[in-house]
Amino acid sequence: MAVIQEKYILAIDQGTTSSRAIVFDHDGRIVSLGQLEHRQIFPRAGWVEHDPVEIIDNTNEAIGQALTRAKINRHQLEGVGITNQRETTVVWNRRTGEPVYNAIVWQDTRTQRICEELAGDVGPERYKDRVGLPLATYFAGPKAKWILDNVDGARTAAEAGDLLFGTMDSWLIWNLTGGTDGGLHVTDVTNASRTMLMNIDTLDWNPDIAADMGIPMTMLPEIRSCSEVYGYGAKNGLLIDTPICGILGDQQAATFGQACFETGQAKNTYGTGNFMLINTGTTPVASENGLLTTVAYKLGDAAAVYALEGSVAVTGSLVQWLRDNLGLISESAEVEELAARVEDNGGCYIVPAFSGLFAPHWESDARGVVVGLTRYVDKCHIARAALESVAFQSKEVLEAMNRDAAVALTELKVDGGMVGNEALMQFQADLLGVPVIRPQVVETTALGAAYAAGIAVRYWDGEDDVRANWQEGRRWLPQMEPERVARMCRLWAKAVEKSKRWVDEDVEELQG
């Protein structure tokens, strides 16, 4: 009698600091995980790069780890979903498979002058009515323009049709489906909505904006939905003939994994940066308060669902900075232990505007500041101020969301690497004045990609299965006195103002 093998979904989570592969079962539970970190490359102040070849090699190794640890092979995979750091940009040669330059990471600020030139007399909202985004260093299109403008031979090769452009999902899928031997050049609507090149209402590329940025249309991937069979694993890989059938940018994937399917439902992810999204339904909503209009998800032929997003560049990476640049801690987990030794921040506030300020300020010329220092402040206060900055920045985004949305949020679902920090989650609830809710499975980014893939191959039956699988893990309720919250927020706002308008030409020369 033949043994019936259980089937699974594999999610590839290509993040800012590592690449992971996670096997999920039908209940949305983690069966196994493989993970490898990649190098963070900082050639100059404000520049952040990754090696795309290192990332695809690590991804393949992580897949092998996950399958081995689950004691399964590709025959037991119903499908593969991909989620990724979104705006990070790769340009590569379609004939050789070699990147022409390192991937330029979403945090990178080198395209500031390009954005200013594109804005011209119109200003940073020149394309916003078409793409939902202001001109900012965050987004992928200007990064691709920088590569074509600055890498020898790149523009000539692009105009000859030899180069491809994509965010990390496109780079992974092209390689996983064969690379130079028939690799697919595709992306999904969520990642395309972060390039500044896609019309937010019609979900297709805008040739006029591509021309303004000097990006040939032949470089652009085909835009597809988030949940459909794009292609199959290459014959020379670990995923031979396995359907690759889900793509969601990381924050949209977390929104999907948190089952935020109703208009007004929101989540906040605490990772390298913080990203809050609120579902706005099937019509894009323009923000009047510094938020981004983006695509939340699109399942096959169904209508696209949109979101407003508040993006914060530096949260978890501030803890890494304390560890790697200052040597204040030796392990990231130590920051919570240090912060717990003091009752407050001692008057110290840290605004980590390492990549400028993102939502709701959009000040690319801001830089990080530490204010309120006295001889009383020690490393414990600095650790506490670092954690508190995460919550303060998220409060600014939530307030912008409440101003844009018809109804104020009554609770916030949270996920990501920092939500295991109990003190941070309590402080967040205190600042927001609403319950903060952590799910049982906090790997919601990878889980969202798994759900998108599984729905495409009918492993799951759609949003109802996702809702049924979601379970609350922990809830924090506000406890702090409103007067104290108001005072701390007033001081935070003063600190933010100190960080603005720092960069000018002289500063850039010093930093270079």
Side-chain angles (χ1 to χ4, degrees):
M1 180 177 170
V3 176
I4 299 175
Q5 292 185 318
E6 188 169 352
K7 298 289 188 176
Y8 304 95
I9 294 289
L10 176 71
I12 296 170
D13 180 0
Q14 201 297 294
T16 306
T17 58
S18 70
S19 301
R20 304 188 302 164
I22 303 179
V23 176
F24 288 97
D25 66 15
H26 195 269
D27 293 328
R29 294 180 302 216
I30 294 174
V31 177
S32 67
L33 182 150
Q35 179 171 1
L36 289 96
E37 291 191 3
H38 52 264
R39 290 174 298 138
Q40 306 295 311
I41 303 167
F42 305 105
R44 293 179 55 179
W47 293 28
V48 190
E49 298 176 0
H50 294 156
D51 179 353
V53 176
E54 179 187 10
I55 283 176
I56 189 62
D57 288 346
N58 284 358
T59 298
N60 281 316
E61 188 170 344
I63 292 168
Q65 289 178 353
L67 294 178
T68 300
R69 291 166 184 171
K71 297 183 172 61
I72 64 172
N73 60 37
R74 51 103 177 176
H75 293 290
Q76 288 174 261
L77 296 178
E78 288 284 278
V80 178
I82 291 173
T83 183
N84 58 290
Q85 49 167 329
R86 295 172 298 179
E87 298 79 9
T88 297
T89 300
V90 191
V91 174
W92 70 97
N93 189 300
R94 70 165 80 229
R95 308 193 192 288
T96 67
E98 294 296 318
V100 302
Y101 189 79
N102 278 338
I104 300 182
V105 179
W106 56 273
Q107 301 157 308
D108 190 287
T109 60
R110 77 185 69 184
T111 58
Q112 177 61 28
R113 287 187 181 172
I114 289 175
C115 291
E116 290 170 356
E117 289 166 5
L118 288 167
D121 295 333
V122 180
E125 298 197 346
R126 176 181 177 184
Y127 303 122
K128 190 175 180 183
D129 61 334
R130 285 174 277 174
V131 302
L133 312 171
L135 272 160
T137 60
Y138 184 20
F139 304 112
K143 299 180 195 296
K145 174 175 168 55
W146 187 94
I147 291 173
L148 296 182
D149 288 348
N150 290 277
V151 176
D152 287 345
R155 184 163 295 285
T156 301
E159 290 172 352
D162 291 339
L163 298 189
L164 300 176
F165 152 77
T167 42
M168 295 307 297
D169 56 308
S170 297
W171 170 246
L172 291 184
I173 289 180
W174 188 82
N175 280 282
L176 292 173
T177 56
T180 55
D181 185 18
L184 294 169
H185 190 39
V186 300
T187 190
D188 83 302
V189 289
T190 66
N191 280 290
S193 74
R194 315 299 290 195
T195 62
M196 300 205 75
L197 300 170
M198 188 190 82
N199 296 307
I200 195 69
D201 48 355
T202 58
L203 308 181
D204 55 9
W205 297 122
N206 187 303
D208 294 340
I209 299 176
D212 288 348
M213 295 189 189
I215 300 171
M217 296 293 289
T218 54
M219 294 180 68
L220 302 181
E222 181 185 356
I223 301 174
R224 307 277 285 271
S225 81
C226 307
S227 180
E228 60 178 275
V229 177
Y230 314 107
Y232 298 86
K235 300 291 186 186
N236 62 347
L238 290 171
L239 302 174
I240 303 170
D241 295 333
T242 306
I244 297 176
C245 46
I247 312 172
L248 283 160
D250 53 9
Q251 303 314 318
Q252 286 92 338
T255 306
F256 201 82
Q258 286 273 37
C260 294
F261 301 135
E262 306 301 324
T263 300
Q265 291 185 323
K267 69 89 201 176
N268 197 24
T269 296
Y270 297 71
T272 302
N274 271 29
F275 304 88
M276 191 182 298
L277 275 77
I278 183 169
N279 183 321
T280 61
T282 55
T283 302
V285 174
S287 173
E288 302 296 329
N289 294 283
L291 303 180
L292 308 175
T293 303
T294 195
V295 182
Y297 61 91
K298 183 181 188 302
L299 301 182
D301 294 330
V305 173
Y306 292 89
L308 285 170
E309 174 176 339
S311 309
V312 175
V314 178
T315 55
S317 54
L318 176 60
V319 177
Q320 293 175 324
W321 180 76
L322 295 179
R323 180 192 69 192
D324 299 338
N325 293 52
L326 298 190
L328 197 67
I329 53 178
S330 56
E331 298 289 340
S332 295
E334 291 175 24
V335 73
E336 184 173 11
E337 178 189 335
L338 280 179
R341 295 180 190 173
V342 290
E343 292 185 0
D344 55 39
N345 60 20
C348 173
Y349 290 80
I350 301 176
V351 182
F354 298 162
S355 300
L357 289 170
F358 284 15
H361 306 281
W362 297 108
E363 295 263 358
S364 295
D365 58 0
R367 286 298 179 267
V369 297
V370 184
V371 298
L373 293 179
T374 63
R375 283 292 301 272
Y376 172 70
V377 171
D378 62 19
K379 65 180 182 179
C380 299
H381 296 108
I382 290 173
R384 189 177 183 99
L387 286 181
E388 289 181 352
S389 76
V390 176
F392 281 122
Q393 292 179 97
S394 289
K395 179 178 174 61
E396 289 184 319
V397 170
L398 184 83
E399 288 174 340
M401 243 170 218
N402 283 342
R403 290 193 293 270
D404 273 332
V407 181
L409 289 179
T410 57
E411 63 181 30
L412 184 66
K413 292 180 176 180
V414 299
D415 54 68
M418 298 186 80
V419 299
N421 188 317
E422 306 273 331
L424 173 59
M425 292 297 99
Q426 181 59 58
F427 187 67
Q428 187 71 88
D430 289 340
L431 284 189
L432 299 182
V434 299
V436 168
I437 302 166
R438 183 177 70 196
Q440 282 191 4
V441 177
V442 296
E443 295 286 359
T444 55
T445 301
L447 184 56
Y451 282 140
I455 288 169
V457 293
R458 301 186 184 279
Y459 183 77
W460 286 295
D461 288 332
E463 291 105 315
D464 287 343
D465 275 359
V466 179
R467 286 190 192 93
N469 280 352
W470 190 92
Q471 292 182 315
E472 181 175 317
R474 175 78 195 273
R475 176 181 294 248
W476 289 269
L477 301 176
Q479 296 178 354
M480 191 178 291
E481 307 83 14
E483 295 80 9
R484 185 181 176 195
V485 171
R487 182 174 69 253
M488 296 178 75
C489 290
R490 177 174 53 82
L491 292 170
W492 167 259
K494 288 175 65 176
V496 169
E497 287 304 309
K498 302 292 184 187
S499 77
K500 293 181 178 178
R501 297 172 295 280
W502 180 258
V503 174
D504 53 32
E505 289 185 8
D506 290 346
V507 171
E508 285 192 326
E509 289 172 7
L510 287 170
Q511 291 179 339

